Amino acid sequence: MSIDRIVLAFAGTVVIISAILAWVFTPMWLILTLFVGANLLQSAFTGFCPLAMILKAMGVKPGEAFN
């Protein structure tokens, strides 16, 4: 699995978890969803993604977006 796919899978998982937590506990968990969305948006333009940097340092195979 490449860095690109791991980043997308992680972001999707966090969004789903935060939506469930917002539904069960408090809507304040939607702030986490907002953070993930904003991070995905800025990484699309800048190419900077903290998770991608961590994965690259761990030796995960780079993809097209984060190399």
Side-chain angles (χ1 to χ4, degrees), residues 8-62:
L8 292 174
F10 183 79
T13 302
V14 171
V15 167
I16 290 170
I17 289 171
S18 69
I20 291 169
L21 290 171
W23 184 29
V24 173
F25 296 108
T26 177
M28 292 297 289
W29 280 103
L30 293 176
I31 294 172
L32 181 59
T33 302
L34 178 66
F35 174 76
V36 171
N39 192 35
L40 284 171
L41 186 62
Q42 72 82 23
S43 70
F45 291 104
T46 66
F48 174 75
C49 177
L51 179 59
M53 292 172 47
I54 293 168
L55 292 171
K56 186 175 182 179
M58 292 173 55
V60 178
K61 177 182 70 165

